[in-house]
Amino acid sequence: SPKSKYIHFFKLEQHQISEHHFMENPLFSDPEAKPPLLLSELFVNHRVNVFVTSTIGQGFKNTLTAKGIPVLLKETIAEEEIKALW
């Protein structure tokens, strides 16, 4: 979810995961921060192509969509599913 402790980033090349890194979610330490303001900029800077989450508010979803980042609602996602995204 947008307020999970960590955000994972995967880089895919030829349907294989070539990089995986994660960082502490800035919203986790600041529960008053707004996902559309903080995370949308972070995702653009990290060149995110799709955001996978179990929950999302409509405002944040609209912000990401406007920035060209589709949202995939899933409770969990397997490695094979990640590889199939791009």
Side-chain angles (χ1 to χ4, degrees), residues 44 48-50 62-71 86:
V44 168
V48 169
N49 291 318
V50 64
N62 291 342
T63 300
L64 291 179
T65 301
K67 294 182 181 293
I69 302 171
V71 175
W86 236 249

Side-chain angles (χ1 to χ4, degrees), residues 1-7 25 39 51-56 60:
S1 84
K3 297 203 175 191
S4 294
K5 185 168 184 174
Y6 296 103
I7 298 173
N25 185 345
L39 292 184
F51 178 53
V52 180
T53 184
S54 60
T55 62
I56 190 167
F60 185 32

